[in-house]
Amino acid sequence: MLQLTAQVAAAIAGDHDYCHLIRLELANNTIIRLTDAGFDINWSSQTFEANGLLVGMDAPKFTSDIRVGEISLAFTAADQSMVSLLLGNNQINRYVYVYRAYLTDQGAVIPDPILLHTWLITGFDSSDSKGSAQMTVSMASEWADFEKPAGRRSTDASQQRIYPGDKGMEFAGQVKKDLKWGGA
């Protein structure tokens, strides 16, 4: 459940300004903090820069269906610093945090920004035309890597590693049909 401070709840209920705070945790312990505000935002002893590198962000679409959500961030490719940073290292499956920060009339962050979503970087694309150059970072929700085989399996060998001598998965390899869990 979403936890809001009293100040944020009051800002949402009233007339308010907000911005997004984006934290990219890239390879080699590189942290990039950007905002779509028109000025730098200071929050939690960190500065989120309004340096013009971030030129767009898709609005996430949330549904009741179980599916992998996807959005993208667009950066200007006119400044090569972001392009080289993104393409110079393997940035796939790195975390991106997107917060919504509500602001006072003076532009200060009302405690505490809401974490809208945690994303994983899934790919990059660049486009170049006569008038502009952009680098697009594709991201997906944490469920994007759901199919990756990791951790426990429903095999006897996997069961024996954790519970030696247990017979609960002894015949799991002989089941020939998909078993549906839960529901009717």
Side-chain angles (χ1 to χ4, degrees), residues 26 91-94 96 119-124 137-139:
L26 303 176
Q91 305 296 0
I92 302 298
N93 286 332
R94 302 292 178 186
V96 178
W119 301 97
L120 291 173
I121 295 175
T122 58
F124 307 95
V137 176
S138 302
M139 303 178 304

Side-chain angles (χ1 to χ4, degrees), residues 135-153:
M135 180 79 182
T136 303
V137 176
S138 302
M139 303 178 304
S141 70
E142 293 167 300
W143 291 103
D145 216 11
F146 184 72
E147 295 295 326
K148 175 184 168 191
R152 300 276 315 267
R153 296 186 182 14

Side-chain angles (χ1 to χ4, degrees), residues 5 7 13 19 23 47 52 54 68 77 81 83 90 100 125 148 170 173-174 184:
T5 63
Q7 299 97 324
C19 66
R23 176 185 163 103
T47 300
L54 178 68
V68 176
S81 63
V83 175
N90 181 14
R100 177 169 290 165
D125 188 27
K148 175 184 168 191
E170 183 176 12
Q174 296 174 11

Side-chain angles (χ1 to χ4, degrees), residues 1 10 26-27 49 51 53 56 68 74 77-78 99 104 109 159 178 180:
M1 175 155 179
L26 303 176
E49 296 181 42
N51 54 14
L53 293 177
V68 176
Y99 295 87
T104 65
V109 173
Q159 185 73 358
D178 283 342
K180 305 294 182 198

Side-chain angles (χ1 to χ4, degrees), residues 36-131:
D36 59 359
F39 48 90
D40 291 352
I41 299 289
N42 293 307
W43 170 57
S44 190
S45 301
Q46 300 171 349
T47 300
F48 291 79
E49 296 181 42
N51 54 14
L53 293 177
L54 178 68
V55 294
M57 179 177 78
D58 291 344
K61 296 177 182 106
F62 298 102
T63 67
S64 60
D65 298 335
I66 297 177
R67 66 177 191 85
V68 176
E70 298 177 330
I71 69 167
S72 61
L73 294 174
F75 298 97
T76 180
D79 182 330
Q80 291 295 304
S81 63
M82 201 65 168
V83 175
S84 64
L85 184 64
L86 292 171
L87 296 180
N89 294 297
N90 181 14
Q91 305 296 0
I92 302 298
N93 286 332
R94 302 292 178 186
Y95 284 97
V96 178
Y97 300 91
V98 178
Y99 295 87
R100 177 169 290 165
Y102 292 89
L103 305 173
T104 65
D105 292 338
Q106 294 76 30
V109 173
I110 297 172
D112 284 305
I114 301 166
L115 177 61
L116 293 180
H117 214 295
T118 302
W119 301 97
L120 291 173
I121 295 175
T122 58
F124 307 95
D125 188 27
S126 61
S127 62
D128 196 359
S129 67
K130 189 174 183 179

